Amino acid sequence: RRALLVLWDINTQSNEETAGMVRHIYREMAEAAAAAAPRVAGDGEKDVLPHCNLQVYTYTCDVGKRENVYLTAERVRKEVGEVSVLVNNAGVVSGHHLLECPDELIERTMMVNCHAHFWVT
């Protein structure tokens, strides 16, 4: 509701698909709210806030790479503004038992599942 949403994903296509789904959901909510809301005549109309006014921005970012996080964050600050709420749910799973997992996958898992939380914050 009156949110400004910034989505980051390593996969540009899936990020755009997510943004599209969010826009669709909010459009449906706005239409339902508009249909259900009583109409206010005259000057009162400008005082009635819209139920939903979502803005969605998408950025391709590999949160497992510190410099990519810092560059993307700077772009967001310049293009969108300061972030007031952060939800970070990035994560990877190697699919191997620890002792069978290649070093590269362990490092990637730690970068995305642990270090990225600090860098993004």
Side-chain angles (χ1 to χ4, degrees), residues 39-116:
R39 299 290 175 212
V40 179
D43 292 337
E45 284 186 22
K46 64 183 176 194
D47 297 329
V48 178
L49 293 172
H51 178 71
C52 301
N53 184 22
L54 181 73
Q55 297 177 52
V56 182
Y57 298 85
T58 58
Y59 294 85
T60 302
C61 180
D62 182 350
V63 296
K65 295 182 178 175
R66 183 183 65 232
E67 288 306 316
N68 196 206
V69 170
Y70 293 167
L71 290 172
T72 306
E74 189 56 34
R75 279 188 61 207
V76 170
R77 276 189 208 95
K78 288 179 181 173
E79 297 173 9
V80 181
E82 291 296 321
V83 174
S84 57
V85 176
L86 170 66
V87 178
N88 183 357
N89 70 338
V92 294
V93 179
S94 70
H96 299 285
H97 294 286
L98 179 62
L99 297 178
E100 298 169 358
C101 191
D103 292 346
E104 296 78 22
L105 285 178
I106 292 172
E107 290 173 343
R108 179 79 179 145
T109 300
M110 291 303 296
M111 290 299 184
V112 173
N113 297 1
C114 180
H115 297 141

Side-chain angles (χ1 to χ4, degrees), residues 3-7 15 18-20 22-23 26 54-58:
L4 193 141
L5 187 62
V6 178
L7 305 176
N15 203 21
T18 300
V22 171
R23 289 181 187 111
Y26 271 75
L54 181 73
Q55 297 177 52
V56 182
Y57 298 85
T58 58

Side-chain angles (χ1 to χ4, degrees), residues 17-39:
E17 289 171 5
T18 300
M21 287 187 286
V22 171
R23 289 181 187 111
H24 177 76
I25 290 167
Y26 271 75
R27 192 171 24 252
E28 287 180 342
M29 289 174 62
E31 290 169 1
R39 299 290 175 212

